[in-house]
Amino acid sequence: MKKIIALMMAVALVLSLSACFMPGANNNSDSTSDQANAADISTYDKDFDGLVKYIKDRDSKYVKMDIYYDILGADNGARIDLNKNAFVEIYDFSSADSATADSADTAKAKEILNAVRENGKFKPIEDGVELTAAITDSGKYVIAWDASRGFDYTGKVVTDELKENW
């Protein structure tokens, strides 16, 4: 009797494990959640806070930190740690073209925006790490990350869809 029960349990285990790896099974929950998030993108405000919230909502393991955005001439900034190796920094340069902005801040902001447009990179501080970056289509927001640390993971967050919508 014990052998029959052990055999039935072994068969049940094999069947349950094989169901997880069947070719037709949906083993990629990331694509499903990305599609759900893509469908919901219209519900986010198209401002800095909406952009930060969208990235945060795409990854439940985030840690948001305020950063020193003002030394870059930005209006606002946030760093979101996505996992141990990957992060995204978001800078708001909404007033970079404003005539009323402080000239030193505006000059630094334009320097960073030009560097990102020209080669897709910039250094937040002179002796710091060079960050890979993208500018949203509105030209207001810079999304930056260290490509040497978790680029594939970060690349899933920084998508063309995100850039097009902000």
Side-chain angles (χ1 to χ4, degrees), residues 56-105:
K56 177 193 77 126
D57 287 352
R58 286 185 63 153
D59 190 332
S60 61
K61 298 176 185 172
Y62 85 101
V63 175
K64 178 185 174 282
M65 302 182 310
D66 292 326
I67 54 177
Y68 296 104
Y69 56 86
D70 51 344
I71 63 172
L72 304 179
D75 302 320
N76 204 345
R79 177 182 170 130
I80 301 172
D81 285 339
L82 302 170
N83 64 25
K84 291 180 183 175
N85 295 320
F87 67 88
V88 173
E89 291 181 357
I90 301 106
Y91 297 97
D92 178 359
F93 289 103
S94 296
S95 67
D97 292 326
S98 172
T100 60
D102 179 52
S103 61
D105 288 344

CSV table of all heavy atoms in Angstrom, one decimal, residues 56-105:
chain,number,residue,atom,x,y,z
A,56,LYS,N,7.4,53.3,-11.0
A,56,LYS,CA,7.3,52.6,-9.7
A,56,LYS,C,6.3,51.5,-9.8
A,56,LYS,O,6.5,50.4,-9.3
A,56,LYS,CB,6.9,53.6,-8.6
A,56,LYS,CG,6.6,53.0,-7.3
A,56,LYS,CD,5.9,54.0,-6.4
A,56,LYS,CE,4.4,54.0,-6.8
A,56,LYS,NZ,3.4,53.8,-5.8
A,57,ASP,N,5.2,51.7,-10.4
A,57,ASP,CA,4.1,50.7,-10.5
A,57,ASP,C,4.5,49.6,-11.4
A,57,ASP,O,4.0,48.5,-11.2
A,57,ASP,CB,2.8,51.4,-11.1
A,57,ASP,CG,2.1,52.3,-10.0
A,57,ASP,OD1,2.6,52.3,-8.9
A,57,ASP,OD2,1.2,53.0,-10.4
A,58,ARG,N,5.4,49.8,-12.3
A,58,ARG,CA,5.9,48.7,-13.1
A,58,ARG,C,6.8,47.7,-12.4
A,58,ARG,O,6.9,46.6,-12.8
A,58,ARG,CB,6.6,49.2,-14.3
A,58,ARG,CG,5.7,49.8,-15.4
A,58,ARG,CD,6.5,50.2,-16.6
A,58,ARG,NE,7.1,49.0,-17.2
A,58,ARG,CZ,7.3,48.9,-18.5
A,58,ARG,NH1,7.1,49.9,-19.3
A,58,ARG,NH2,7.8,47.8,-18.9
A,59,ASP,N,7.3,48.1,-11.3
A,59,ASP,CA,8.2,47.3,-10.5
A,59,ASP,C,7.9,47.4,-9.0
A,59,ASP,O,8.1,48.4,-8.4
A,59,ASP,CB,9.7,47.7,-10.8
A,59,ASP,CG,10.7,46.7,-10.2
A,59,ASP,OD1,10.3,46.1,-9.2
A,59,ASP,OD2,11.8,46.6,-10.7
A,60,SER,N,7.4,46.4,-8.5
A,60,SER,CA,6.9,46.4,-7.1
A,60,SER,C,8.0,46.4,-6.1
A,60,SER,O,7.8,46.6,-4.9
A,60,SER,CB,6.0,45.2,-6.8
A,60,SER,OG,6.6,44.0,-7.0
A,61,LYS,N,9.3,46.2,-6.5
A,61,LYS,CA,10.4,46.1,-5.6
A,61,LYS,C,11.2,47.4,-5.6
A,61,LYS,O,12.4,47.4,-5.3
A,61,LYS,CB,11.3,45.0,-5.9
A,61,LYS,CG,10.6,43.6,-5.9
A,61,LYS,CD,11.6,42.6,-6.3
A,61,LYS,CE,10.8,41.2,-6.4
A,61,LYS,NZ,11.6,40.2,-7.0
A,62,TYR,N,10.6,48.5,-5.9
A,62,TYR,CA,11.3,49.8,-6.0
A,62,TYR,C,11.6,50.4,-4.7
A,62,TYR,O,11.0,50.1,-3.7
A,62,TYR,CB,10.5,50.8,-6.9
A,62,TYR,CG,9.5,51.5,-6.0
A,62,TYR,CD1,9.8,52.8,-5.6
A,62,TYR,CD2,8.3,50.9,-5.6
A,62,TYR,CE1,8.9,53.5,-4.8
A,62,TYR,CE2,7.4,51.6,-4.8
A,62,TYR,CZ,7.7,52.9,-4.4
A,62,TYR,OH,6.8,53.5,-3.6
A,63,VAL,N,12.6,51.3,-4.7
A,63,VAL,CA,12.9,52.2,-3.6
A,63,VAL,C,13.1,53.5,-4.2
A,63,VAL,O,14.0,53.7,-5.0
A,63,VAL,CB,14.1,51.7,-2.8
A,63,VAL,CG1,14.5,52.7,-1.7
A,63,VAL,CG2,13.9,50.3,-2.2
A,64,LYS,N,12.2,54.5,-3.9
A,64,LYS,CA,12.4,55.8,-4.5
A,64,LYS,C,13.2,56.7,-3.5
A,64,LYS,O,12.9,56.7,-2.3
A,64,LYS,CB,11.0,56.5,-4.7
A,64,LYS,CG,11.1,57.9,-5.3
A,64,LYS,CD,9.7,58.5,-5.4
A,64,LYS,CE,9.8,59.9,-5.8
A,64,LYS,NZ,10.1,60.8,-4.7
A,65,MET,N,14.1,57.4,-4.1
A,65,MET,CA,15.0,58.3,-3.3
A,65,MET,C,15.0,59.7,-4.0
A,65,MET,O,15.1,59.7,-5.2
A,65,MET,CB,16.4,57.8,-3.1
A,65,MET,CG,16.5,56.4,-2.5
A,65,MET,SD,18.2,55.8,-2.3
A,65,MET,CE,18.9,56.1,-3.9
A,66,ASP,N,14.9,60.7,-3.2
A,66,ASP,CA,15.2,62.0,-3.8
A,66,ASP,C,16.7,62.2,-4.0
A,66,ASP,O,17.5,61.7,-3.3
A,66,ASP,CB,14.6,63.1,-2.8
A,66,ASP,CG,13.1,63.1,-2.7
A,66,ASP,OD1,12.5,62.8,-3.7
A,66,ASP,OD2,12.6,63.4,-1.6
A,67,ILE,N,17.0,62.9,-5.1
A,67,ILE,CA,18.4,63.2,-5.4
A,67,ILE,C,18.6,64.7,-5.6
A,67,ILE,O,17.7,65.5,-5.6
A,67,ILE,CB,18.7,62.4,-6.7
A,67,ILE,CG1,17.8,62.8,-7.8
A,67,ILE,CG2,18.8,60.9,-6.5
A,67,ILE,CD1,18.1,62.1,-9.2
A,68,TYR,N,19.9,65.0,-5.7
A,68,TYR,CA,20.3,66.4,-5.8
A,68,TYR,C,20.1,66.9,-7.3
A,68,TYR,O,21.1,67.0,-8.0
A,68,TYR,CB,21.7,66.6,-5.3
A,68,TYR,CG,21.8,66.3,-3.8
A,68,TYR,CD1,22.4,65.1,-3.4
A,68,TYR,CD2,21.3,67.2,-2.9
A,68,TYR,CE1,22.4,64.9,-2.0
A,68,TYR,CE2,21.3,67.0,-1.5
A,68,TYR,CZ,21.9,65.8,-1.1
A,68,TYR,OH,22.0,65.5,0.2
A,69,TYR,N,18.9,67.0,-7.7
A,69,TYR,CA,18.6,67.4,-9.1
A,69,TYR,C,19.0,68.9,-9.3
A,69,TYR,O,19.3,69.2,-10.5
A,69,TYR,CB,17.1,67.2,-9.4
A,69,TYR,CG,16.2,67.9,-8.4
A,69,TYR,CD1,15.8,69.2,-8.6
A,69,TYR,CD2,15.7,67.2,-7.3
A,69,TYR,CE1,15.0,69.9,-7.7
A,69,TYR,CE2,14.9,67.9,-6.4
A,69,TYR,CZ,14.5,69.2,-6.6
A,69,TYR,OH,13.7,69.9,-5.7
A,70,ASP,N,19.0,69.7,-8.3
A,70,ASP,CA,19.2,71.1,-8.5
A,70,ASP,C,20.6,71.5,-9.0
A,70,ASP,O,20.8,72.5,-9.7
A,70,ASP,CB,18.8,71.9,-7.2
A,70,ASP,CG,19.5,71.4,-6.0
A,70,ASP,OD1,20.0,70.2,-6.0
A,70,ASP,OD2,19.5,72.1,-5.0
A,71,ILE,N,21.6,70.6,-8.7
A,71,ILE,CA,22.9,70.9,-9.1
A,71,ILE,C,23.1,70.7,-10.7
A,71,ILE,O,24.0,71.1,-11.3
A,71,ILE,CB,24.0,70.1,-8.4
A,71,ILE,CG1,23.8,68.6,-8.6
A,71,ILE,CG2,24.0,70.4,-6.9
A,71,ILE,CD1,25.0,67.7,-8.1
A,72,LEU,N,22.1,70.0,-11.2
A,72,LEU,CA,22.0,69.8,-12.7
A,72,LEU,C,21.2,70.8,-13.4
A,72,LEU,O,21.0,70.8,-14.6
A,72,LEU,CB,21.5,68.4,-13.0
A,72,LEU,CG,22.3,67.2,-12.3
A,72,LEU,CD1,21.6,65.9,-12.7
A,72,LEU,CD2,23.7,67.2,-12.7
A,73,GLY,N,20.6,71.7,-12.6
A,73,GLY,CA,19.7,72.7,-13.2
A,73,GLY,C,18.3,72.2,-13.5
A,73,GLY,O,17.5,72.8,-14.2
A,74,ALA,N,18.0,71.0,-12.9
A,74,ALA,CA,16.7,70.4,-13.1
A,74,ALA,C,15.7,71.0,-12.1
A,74,ALA,O,16.0,71.5,-11.0
A,74,ALA,CB,16.7,68.9,-12.9
A,75,ASP,N,14.4,70.9,-12.4
A,75,ASP,CA,13.3,71.3,-11.5
A,75,ASP,C,13.0,70.3,-10.5
A,75,ASP,O,12.5,70.7,-9.4
A,75,ASP,CB,12.0,71.6,-12.3
A,75,ASP,CG,12.3,72.7,-13.4
A,75,ASP,OD1,13.1,73.6,-13.1
A,75,ASP,OD2,11.8,72.5,-14.5
A,76,ASN,N,13.2,69.0,-10.8
A,76,ASN,CA,12.9,68.0,-9.8
A,76,ASN,C,13.7,66.7,-10.2
A,76,ASN,O,14.2,66.7,-11.4
A,76,ASN,CB,11.3,67.7,-9.9
A,76,ASN,CG,10.8,67.0,-8.6
A,76,ASN,OD1,11.6,66.6,-7.8
A,76,ASN,ND2,9.5,67.0,-8.5
A,77,GLY,N,13.7,65.8,-9.3
A,77,GLY,CA,14.5,64.6,-9.7
A,77,GLY,C,14.1,63.4,-8.7
A,77,GLY,O,13.8,63.7,-7.5
A,78,ALA,N,14.3,62.2,-9.1
A,78,ALA,CA,14.1,61.1,-8.3
A,78,ALA,C,14.9,59.9,-8.8
A,78,ALA,O,15.2,59.8,-10.0
A,78,ALA,CB,12.6,60.6,-8.3
A,79,ARG,N,15.4,59.1,-7.9
A,79,ARG,CA,16.1,57.9,-8.2
A,79,ARG,C,15.3,56.7,-7.7
A,79,ARG,O,14.8,56.7,-6.6
A,79,ARG,CB,17.5,57.9,-7.5
A,79,ARG,CG,18.3,56.6,-7.8
A,79,ARG,CD,19.6,56.6,-7.1
A,79,ARG,NE,20.2,55.3,-7.1
A,79,ARG,CZ,21.4,55.1,-7.5
A,79,ARG,NH1,22.2,56.1,-7.8
A,79,ARG,NH2,21.9,53.9,-7.5
A,80,ILE,N,15.1,55.8,-8.6
A,80,ILE,CA,14.3,54.6,-8.3
A,80,ILE,C,15.2,53.4,-8.4
A,80,ILE,O,15.7,53.1,-9.5
A,80,ILE,CB,13.1,54.5,-9.2
A,80,ILE,CG1,12.2,55.7,-9.1
A,80,ILE,CG2,12.3,53.2,-8.9
A,80,ILE,CD1,11.1,55.8,-10.1
A,81,ASP,N,15.5,52.7,-7.3
A,81,ASP,CA,16.2,51.5,-7.3
A,81,ASP,C,15.3,50.4,-7.7
A,81,ASP,O,14.3,50.1,-6.9
A,81,ASP,CB,16.9,51.2,-5.9
A,81,ASP,CG,18.1,52.1,-5.7
A,81,ASP,OD1,18.7,52.6,-6.7
A,81,ASP,OD2,18.5,52.3,-4.5
A,82,LEU,N,15.6,49.7,-8.8
A,82,LEU,CA,14.7,48.7,-9.3
A,82,LEU,C,15.0,47.3,-8.7
A,82,LEU,O,14.1,46.5,-8.5
A,82,LEU,CB,14.8,48.6,-10.8
A,82,LEU,CG,14.4,49.9,-11.5
A,82,LEU,CD1,14.7,49.8,-13.0
A,82,LEU,CD2,12.9,50.2,-11.3
A,83,ASN,N,16.3,47.1,-8.5
A,83,ASN,CA,16.7,45.9,-7.8
A,83,ASN,C,18.1,46.2,-7.3
A,83,ASN,O,18.6,47.3,-7.3
A,83,ASN,CB,16.7,44.6,-8.7
A,83,ASN,CG,17.6,44.7,-9.9
A,83,ASN,OD1,18.6,45.5,-9.9
A,83,ASN,ND2,17.3,44.0,-10.9
A,84,LYS,N,18.9,45.2,-6.8
A,84,LYS,CA,20.2,45.4,-6.2
A,84,LYS,C,21.2,46.0,-7.2
A,84,LYS,O,22.1,46.8,-6.9
A,84,LYS,CB,20.8,44.2,-5.7
A,84,LYS,CG,20.0,43.6,-4.5
A,84,LYS,CD,20.7,42.4,-4.0
A,84,LYS,CE,19.9,41.8,-2.8
A,84,LYS,NZ,20.4,40.5,-2.4
A,85,ASN,N,21.0,45.8,-8.5
A,85,ASN,CA,21.9,46.2,-9.5
A,85,ASN,C,21.4,47.3,-10.5
A,85,ASN,O,22.2,47.8,-11.2
A,85,ASN,CB,22.4,45.0,-10.4
A,85,ASN,CG,23.2,44.0,-9.5
A,85,ASN,OD1,24.0,44.4,-8.7
A,85,ASN,ND2,22.9,42.7,-9.7
A,86,ALA,N,20.2,47.6,-10.5
A,86,ALA,CA,19.6,48.5,-11.5
A,86,ALA,C,18.9,49.6,-10.8
A,86,ALA,O,18.2,49.5,-9.8
A,86,ALA,CB,18.7,47.7,-12.4
A,87,PHE,N,19.0,50.8,-11.4
A,87,PHE,CA,18.3,52.0,-11.0
A,87,PHE,C,18.0,52.8,-12.2
A,87,PHE,O,18.6,52.7,-13.3
A,87,PHE,CB,19.1,52.8,-10.0
A,87,PHE,CG,20.4,53.4,-10.5
A,87,PHE,CD1,20.3,54.7,-11.1
A,87,PHE,CD2,21.6,52.7,-10.5
A,87,PHE,CE1,21.5,55.2,-11.7
A,87,PHE,CE2,22.7,53.3,-11.0
A,87,PHE,CZ,22.7,54.6,-11.6
A,88,VAL,N,17.0,53.7,-12.0
A,88,VAL,CA,16.7,54.7,-13.0
A,88,VAL,C,16.6,56.1,-12.3
A,88,VAL,O,16.1,56.2,-11.2
A,88,VAL,CB,15.3,54.4,-13.6
A,88,VAL,CG1,14.9,55.5,-14.5
A,88,VAL,CG2,15.3,53.1,-14.4
A,89,GLU,N,17.2,57.1,-12.9
A,89,GLU,CA,17.1,58.4,-12.3
A,89,GLU,C,16.2,59.2,-13.3
A,89,GLU,O,16.4,59.1,-14.5
A,89,GLU,CB,18.5,59.1,-12.1
A,89,GLU,CG,19.3,58.4,-11.0
A,89,GLU,CD,20.6,59.1,-10.8
A,89,GLU,OE1,21.0,60.0,-11.6
A,89,GLU,OE2,21.3,58.7,-9.9
A,90,ILE,N,15.3,60.0,-12.8
A,90,ILE,CA,14.4,60.8,-13.6
A,90,ILE,C,14.7,62.3,-13.3
A,90,ILE,O,14.6,62.6,-12.1
A,90,ILE,CB,13.0,60.5,-13.5
A,90,ILE,CG1,12.7,59.0,-13.8
A,90,ILE,CG2,12.1,61.3,-14.3
A,90,ILE,CD1,12.5,58.1,-12.7
A,91,TYR,N,14.9,63.1,-14.3
A,91,TYR,CA,15.1,64.5,-14.0
A,91,TYR,C,14.1,65.3,-14.8
A,91,TYR,O,13.8,65.0,-16.0
A,91,TYR,CB,16.5,64.9,-14.5
A,91,TYR,CG,17.6,64.3,-13.7
A,91,TYR,CD1,18.3,63.1,-14.2
A,91,TYR,CD2,18.1,64.8,-12.5
A,91,TYR,CE1,19.3,62.5,-13.5
A,91,TYR,CE2,19.1,64.2,-11.8
A,91,TYR,CZ,19.7,63.0,-12.3
A,91,TYR,OH,20.7,62.4,-11.6
A,92,ASP,N,13.6,66.3,-14.2
A,92,ASP,CA,12.6,67.2,-14.8
A,92,ASP,C,13.2,68.5,-15.2
A,92,ASP,O,13.7,69.3,-14.4
A,92,ASP,CB,11.5,67.5,-13.8
A,92,ASP,CG,10.4,68.4,-14.3
A,92,ASP,OD1,10.5,68.9,-15.4
A,92,ASP,OD2,9.4,68.7,-13.5
A,93,PHE,N,13.3,68.7,-16.5
A,93,PHE,CA,13.9,69.9,-17.1
A,93,PHE,C,12.8,70.8,-17.8
A,93,PHE,O,13.1,71.4,-18.8
A,93,PHE,CB,15.0,69.5,-18.1
A,93,PHE,CG,16.2,69.0,-17.5
A,93,PHE,CD1,16.5,67.6,-17.6
A,93,PHE,CD2,17.1,69.8,-16.9
A,93,PHE,CE1,17.6,67.1,-17.0
A,93,PHE,CE2,18.3,69.3,-16.3
A,93,PHE,CZ,18.5,67.9,-16.4
A,94,SER,N,11.6,70.8,-17.2
A,94,SER,CA,10.5,71.5,-17.8
A,94,SER,C,10.8,73.0,-18.0
A,94,SER,O,10.4,73.6,-19.0
A,94,SER,CB,9.3,71.4,-16.9
A,94,SER,OG,8.8,70.1,-16.8
A,95,SER,N,11.5,73.6,-17.1
A,95,SER,CA,11.8,75.1,-17.3
A,95,SER,C,13.1,75.4,-17.9
A,95,SER,O,13.6,76.6,-17.9
A,95,SER,CB,11.7,75.8,-15.9
A,95,SER,OG,12.8,75.4,-15.1
A,96,ALA,N,13.8,74.4,-18.5
A,96,ALA,CA,15.1,74.7,-19.1
A,96,ALA,C,15.1,75.7,-20.2
A,96,ALA,O,16.0,76.4,-20.5
A,96,ALA,CB,15.7,73.4,-19.7
A,97,ASP,N,14.0,75.8,-20.9
A,97,ASP,CA,13.8,76.8,-22.0
A,97,ASP,C,13.2,78.1,-21.6
A,97,ASP,O,13.0,79.0,-22.3
A,97,ASP,CB,13.0,76.2,-23.2
A,97,ASP,CG,13.8,75.1,-23.8
A,97,ASP,OD1,15.0,75.2,-23.9
A,97,ASP,OD2,13.2,74.1,-24.3
A,98,SER,N,12.8,78.2,-20.3
A,98,SER,CA,12.1,79.3,-19.7
A,98,SER,C,13.1,80.5,-19.6
A,98,SER,O,14.2,80.4,-19.2
A,98,SER,CB,11.5,79.0,-18.4
A,98,SER,OG,11.0,80.2,-17.8
A,99,ALA,N,12.6,81.7,-20.1
A,99,ALA,CA,13.4,82.9,-20.0
A,99,ALA,C,13.6,83.4,-18.5
A,99,ALA,O,14.5,84.1,-18.2
A,99,ALA,CB,12.8,84.0,-20.8
A,100,THR,N,12.7,83.0,-17.6
A,100,THR,CA,12.7,83.4,-16.3
A,100,THR,C,13.6,82.6,-15.4
A,100,THR,O,13.9,82.9,-14.3
A,100,THR,CB,11.3,83.4,-15.7
A,100,THR,OG1,10.8,82.1,-15.7
A,100,THR,CG2,10.4,84.4,-16.4
A,101,ALA,N,14.1,81.4,-15.9
A,101,ALA,CA,15.0,80.6,-15.1
A,101,ALA,C,16.3,81.2,-14.9
A,101,ALA,O,16.8,82.0,-15.7
A,101,ALA,CB,15.1,79.2,-15.8
A,102,ASP,N,17.0,80.9,-13.7
A,102,ASP,CA,18.3,81.4,-13.4
A,102,ASP,C,19.3,81.0,-14.5
A,102,ASP,O,19.3,79.8,-14.9
A,102,ASP,CB,18.7,80.8,-12.1
A,102,ASP,CG,20.1,81.2,-11.7
A,102,ASP,OD1,20.3,82.5,-11.7
A,102,ASP,OD2,20.9,80.4,-11.3
A,103,SER,N,20.1,81.8,-15.0
A,103,SER,CA,20.9,81.6,-16.1
A,103,SER,C,21.9,80.5,-15.9
A,103,SER,O,22.2,79.7,-16.8
A,103,SER,CB,21.6,82.9,-16.6
A,103,SER,OG,22.5,83.3,-15.5
A,104,ALA,N,22.5,80.4,-14.7
A,104,ALA,CA,23.5,79.3,-14.4
A,104,ALA,C,22.8,77.9,-14.4
A,104,ALA,O,23.3,77.0,-15.0
A,104,ALA,CB,24.2,79.5,-13.1
A,105,ASP,N,21.7,77.9,-13.8
A,105,ASP,CA,20.9,76.6,-13.8
A,105,ASP,C,20.5,76.2,-15.2
A,105,ASP,O,20.5,75.1,-15.6
A,105,ASP,CB,19.7,76.7,-12.9
A,105,ASP,CG,20.0,76.7,-11.4
A,105,ASP,OD1,21.2,76.3,-11.1
A,105,ASP,OD2,19.2,77.1,-10.6
